[in-house]
Structure formats: C-alpha cells, structure tokens
Amino acid sequence: MKFDIRQLKQDTLGGLLLHFLLAGAIVLALFLLYFFAYLPAATNHGQTITVPSIEGMQMDQLEDFLVKRNLRYEVNDSSYSSEYPPLSVLKQYPQAGSKVKEGRKIFISINRVSPPTVPVPALVDGSVVNAHAVLRSNELKRGRIELVAGPFNVVKEMRYQGQPIEAGQPVPKGSVIDLVVMDGG
C-alpha cells in the first residue's frame, strides 16, 4: 500500500470543508428553530390582552380582579389625594387600554392612609387674594372668612378646626384654614 501525500491533502481539505458545511447547517437549523419556533411559543408572540382601568380600585379588590385577567401588579409608589379613599389606586402603568402579554406586571401608585403634613404658611398681614393663592400652592384649602373691625383689609389671624394656628405648624395636606380678616373700615 502506497501512501500519496497529495491524496491526503485533498481528502483533508475536502473533509474539512464538509465539516464546516455540516457545522454551518447545524448552526443555521438551531438558529431558525430558536427564533421561529421556540421564542414565539415561549413569549406568546402575537397574543395580547387589554389592560383594564384599575384607577380608584381598592387594594383588597385588586388581587382577584387582576388574577382573573392573567395580570399581576406591583406597588411602586404612594402619594396622597383627597379625591380617593385610602389604599386605592391613584395611577397605573401601563395605562388602561394598552395591549400587553398575559402575566404582565401592572405598576401602581396607591393613596396613602393618612395625608402627609405641610407647614401652615405665614398669611398674617397679607391680603386675602394672596392668602388664597399661597394656601392653594401649599395644597391647603381656604375655609370661612370672618370679618372683624380693623383699619386695614388684611389677614389678622389663621384658624384650623376653629382654633388659632401659627405659621409653621404642621397640618395634614388638604386641610381647611379659616381666615380672620380686618374689614378695612
């Protein structure tokens, strides 16, 4: 048996090319299977559900409501609004009407149980118009205005729940501050 070096080179080069071709075909087949068979099935490609509106809903109702719709939730913030009851949903993301996949997490902001406090602004010796603007900017409400005799048309005293209150004292956000105003007469 004679050994021909040229035959070895040809067989080795041909064998090497055949192996590269087979390896490339296997990689291509795996690539196609992964991206066109496995991923669409694993990610529910093309299957969406509509996010319901949960704003204003109480936390104790939320779990059952979302589980029935194949959704989950996570509380990511809390703030305070006097327009909603405590522990109700203030905001949600994604918004109601958005299309999402089943099992998607809805991020919610809930209403705090008790309002945060804010300091009462200094309103004494200022005008009623200014007092109203300052109260509103501090998320407080102007209540009754009681007129008393006095030489100037300015705020003489502030009251909270019928009692005199000084500037800087903390009150719950959204509180009503009554004003005692001199009539300027």
Side-chain angles (χ1 to χ4, degrees):
M1 187 178 224
K2 279 190 161 189
F3 183 75
D4 186 0
I5 196 88
R6 284 180 290 163
Q7 184 70 29
L8 181 64
K9 286 183 181 179
Q10 287 176 352
D11 287 342
T12 305
L13 184 58
L16 184 62
L17 288 176
L18 181 61
H19 284 100
F20 277 138
L21 186 61
L22 284 172
I26 290 171
V27 168
L28 180 63
L30 289 173
F31 177 82
L32 292 174
L33 281 172
Y34 181 76
F35 283 103
F36 294 103
Y38 171 72
L39 269 183
T43 61
N44 297 331
H45 184 69
Q47 299 174 0
T48 60
I49 55 176
T50 304
V51 175
S53 175
I54 56 175
E55 290 181 10
M57 188 176 288
Q58 292 289 317
M59 288 292 295
D60 56 357
Q61 303 166 342
L62 193 61
E63 181 78 29
D64 291 335
F65 182 80
L66 290 178
V67 166
K68 289 177 185 174
R69 288 157 180 79
N70 294 322
L71 294 169
R72 301 175 298 150
Y73 74 93
E74 181 177 314
V75 177
N76 70 341
D77 192 17
S78 68
S79 10
Y80 181 76
S81 171
S82 59
E83 298 172 17
Y84 290 97
L87 298 178
S88 60
V89 178
L90 294 177
K91 294 180 188 172
Q92 71 181 74
Y93 180 82
Q95 296 295 322
S98 300
K99 301 287 185 186
V100 298
K101 295 185 185 221
E102 288 183 355
R104 168 69 193 258
K105 243 184 218 180
I106 308 298
F107 295 96
I108 61 171
S109 174
I110 60 167
N111 200 19
R112 294 172 58 165
V113 174
S114 59
T117 59
V118 294
V120 174
L123 304 175
V124 174
D125 295 332
S127 72
V128 175
V129 173
N130 181 57
H132 181 68
V134 171
L135 286 171
R136 194 167 54 206
S137 70
N138 284 283
E139 299 183 61
L140 296 170
K141 296 175 185 165
R142 187 192 79 196
R144 294 182 324 111
I145 294 179
E146 180 183 332
L147 294 175
V148 295
F152 305 107
N153 192 7
V154 295
V155 176
K156 179 180 178 184
E157 182 181 338
M158 300 178 292
R159 292 186 182 161
Y160 173 64
Q161 297 179 340
Q163 300 298 317
I165 189 166
E166 297 294 321
Q169 287 185 289
V171 295
K173 199 181 274 191
S175 294
V176 177
I177 305 296
D178 298 324
L179 303 175
V180 176
V181 179
M182 292 187 274
D183 62 7

